[in-house]
Amino acid sequence: MRTERISESQEQQAVIEWAEWASAKFPCLKLLYHIPNGGSRSRAEAGRFKSEGVKSGVPDLCLPAARHGYHGLYIEMKAVGGKVSDKQTAWMIALAGEGYLCRVCYGADTAIRLLEKYVQEVRE
């Protein structure tokens, strides 16, 4: 039996689709956005993006909503079995040092659980 592997892009699309649906309950999810650093580009396009400020290793998703003592949330999406690069790790350490929650999520389900937990207000 052959099982098809779900790509990182497909996993991330599922997260964004869920966030659009869940924004009815958690309006801050409308702020969730993708940082387009990956993908294949021509040399000219890569050079233009670099001069515009695109930086290698920046996490894939950002939710600029302060919760639980953090300024916001960054998610590095990975397909199941994916690997985090040294540049991605360095960015996540630097962002955490600036007060952001940063996590690597292997698959959409993991990212969705993280987002649900992050956006819920703490009730005591």
Side-chain angles (χ1 to χ4, degrees):
M1 182 164 111
R2 183 176 174 231
T3 58
E4 287 193 37
R5 196 171 161 171
I6 299 173
S7 72
E8 182 178 313
S9 175
Q10 291 169 313
E11 297 281 11
Q12 187 166 305
Q13 288 174 43
V15 172
I16 295 299
E17 185 177 311
W18 169 83
E20 289 174 6
W21 171 82
S23 68
K25 183 174 181 180
F26 303 109
C28 69
L29 287 172
K30 292 176 185 173
L31 299 174
L32 182 66
Y33 66 93
H34 167 63
I35 300 159
N37 282 344
S40 300
R41 294 183 171 83
S42 69
R43 288 184 75 156
E45 187 176 33
R48 182 176 58 84
F49 276 29
K50 185 176 180 181
S51 68
E52 291 174 354
V54 170
K55 298 192 179 194
S56 179
V58 176
D60 296 306
L61 296 173
C62 179
L63 179 61
R67 297 286 187 283
H68 313 289
Y70 296 101
H71 299 307
L73 170 65
Y74 281 91
I75 297 174
E76 176 58 40
M77 287 296 304
K78 293 293 176 192
V80 175
K83 303 237 186 261
V84 179
S85 74
D86 291 343
K87 285 183 179 182
Q88 290 168 331
T89 299
W91 265 100
M92 292 179 70
I93 290 169
L95 289 164
E98 293 296 329
Y100 292 90
L101 178 60
C102 300
R103 293 290 184 265
V104 177
C105 291
Y106 295 91
D109 291 342
T110 304
I112 289 167
R113 283 194 306 273
L114 173 62
L115 284 160
E116 284 178 320
K117 187 175 179 181
Y118 184 78
V119 299
Q120 291 179 16
E121 296 295 328
V122 178
R123 306 264 189 236
E124 294 189 32

